Amino acid sequence: MVRLEYIKKQYTRTRRVHGNWYLASYQYKFNVKRINQCLEHLRKGELVGLKCRSCNTVSFPPRLICPKCLKMPDEWVHLRDTATVATFSGTYAQEAGDTEPRPYPVVAIRQDGSDTTWLANLPEGYDFFKVYVGMPLKVKWAEDKKGDFSDIEYYEPIEDPSIEMNKKEEAEK
Amino acid sequence: MEKVGIVGYYQVKPETDIQMSRPEMIFYAARGALDYAGLKRDDLTTVISATNDYYDGKTISNCFTVEAGGAYLKDESKVEMDGAHAVNYGLMRCLSGHHKLALVWGASQPSTFYYSCIRVLENDPTFDRPINLLNDYTAAALGMRAYMNKFGVSVEDIAKVGVKNHKNAAKNPLAWNEAQLPDITVEDILNSEMLSNPVTKLMHALPCDGATALVLAPEGLAKKIIDDPVWITGVGLCQETYYLGDRDLSISVSMEKAAQKAYKLAGINDPRKDIDVVELFEHSAYEELVLAEALGLCEKGKGSSLSSEINGEIPINPSGGNIGAFTPCATGITRIIEAVKQIQGEAKGYQVKDANRAIAHGQIGFCAQNNIVFILEGGKR
């Protein structure tokens, strides 16, 4: 009976036929040996980036290949635990448990000392309307480190000296 | 570059939920393009399609569209990119001398899948996909924020692009009905549903069903088929790195390089003087400004002060652009067809005066990763 109702629906010319395309169990290979050096440092609470010897570009998270030089960077450099916001958005999504779409912060963060950015977390429930480009952040490490990128639990906003400086400048004007 | 002419084209009217099956839609596009040129299917030597396996829900999806696309017992191939890349493929085949007539078509039906969810599968599986939030409009939001911050452009300036494109779309009978908004204001755009801050629904290109096709022919043959073929005199394409984090999202280096290549082939020195009309594939309103700047039509960061209305200095997207109708895979071909119509003087209602040289553009990837630029010329000058 349900089937008949479906046919009677407003579609007179075409009918939607449901199909599945099972790709959920797809696998891909990832070079673990290369990134393990970075993961070992993460376990110790240190941050390292990969530096390309020919163009001096530092990437964090480490990239396998330097797109500019078509070479495999192999020089590890230590990075500070501070970072800045390169660009950001709050994307409206409705995930399990949400009654209606709400903004989820998506923040591109540049680790100080690195030339690339990555999308990482801010503290849970942080009001994304307070985020701005150039906002200084600091890594908040997870309590028990597992040796993967989740060891960086989130990036904690820190005091921004440039705001005070700007205020002073404006007051002087 | 030896010239290749566009001798026929057809656009299936884009709709939210088209009452046609995929092969049917492709058939009307392919048949329409052949009928325009007055050709038989037997005349074709090669068929190039632009579709996406993810959008079609099956692998090697071109093997199911052979009959509809006119490829039966023909030399057929597929580009899993934008339609404009398929035109480039057809162009190369014509220039090789081994093929005489190329039919190029692109089609998709976003009403049968969730477009923004599929775009998540385009992500790098290690870092970006687990976040599950990086799709077309989040990427547009990251780029828009970077652009606004770098050049001090306001949200209102970007919303104005949306206003212009929606108003232009209202004049184009082949634009998407839901994007044809003649009385839209900046406030309407800013107050529409927030997709990903600061990108709102009306400043973003929303996908709809549609198919387009065009026929390419080498110089000698094109003149025999129709009186006033429009010629492709230059083409350039360029690919950026995938990672958004490796790029400066406020500019488009790949578009700049693609445009320089195309200008060189077509012998264009000053695009501001030489180009009469531009058809851009913009995913979001801010992208039109970034891409126009990369084309050299204005200084970087000054895109919002460019006079780009239909009767403006350099009209951009008189057809309504991609915001006017975004049919994934087909939209690059639509941009070329709209530019051809402007040159032939057949764009009734949104005709740019004395248009003889146009830019048509296609792209693929987040924040215009891969750009392709075509220079099209008529025979008037």
Side-chain angles (χ1 to χ4, degrees), chain B residues 270-311:
Chain B
D270 184 1
R272 291 184 65 144
K273 266 190 215 158
D274 297 344
I275 300 295
D276 303 318
V277 55
V278 182
E279 276 289 339
L280 288 179
F281 174 174
E282 83 291 7
H283 254 300
S284 191
Y286 95 93
E287 243 175 43
E288 186 178 307
L289 305 178
V290 174
L291 296 174
E293 287 161 20
L295 280 174
L297 302 178
C298 59
E299 279 176 51
K300 291 214 170 65
K302 300 275 166 60
S304 53
S305 52
L306 193 69
S307 139
S308 58
E309 288 82 23
I310 291 176
N311 50 9

Side-chain angles (χ1 to χ4, degrees), chain A residues 11 13-14 16 21 23 28 30 61 63 87-93 95 104 106 116-117 119 128-129 133 149, chain B residues 17 19-20 24 53-54 57 59 111 125-127 131 133 138 141-142 145-146 149 194-197 243 245-246:
Chain A
Y11 304 111
R13 194 151 192 283
T14 59
R16 279 161 194 256
W21 195 25
L23 282 178
Y28 69 98
F30 191 80
R63 303 252 197 271
T87 178
F88 68 98
S89 171
T91 192
Y92 283 71
E95 300 212 339
Y104 283 85
V106 178
T116 63
T117 70
L119 303 176
F128 101 95
F129 287 101
V133 176
F149 276 88
Chain B
D17 186 3
Q19 290 303 293
M20 284 186 207
E24 220 178 335
D53 288 353
Y54 270 112
T59 49
S111 63
T126 319
F127 293 107
I131 300 169
L133 289 171
T138 313
L142 293 173
R145 181 76 65 186
N149 195 69
M194 187 66 86
L195 293 178
S196 183
N197 196 295
Y243 293 99
D246 292 9

Side-chain angles (χ1 to χ4, degrees), chain A residues 91-111:
Chain A
T91 192
Y92 283 71
Q94 188 170 356
E95 300 212 339
D98 291 347
T99 48
E100 57 181 29
R102 67 180 180 94
Y104 283 85
V106 178
V107 188
I109 292 169
R110 178 176 286 115
Q111 194 73 40

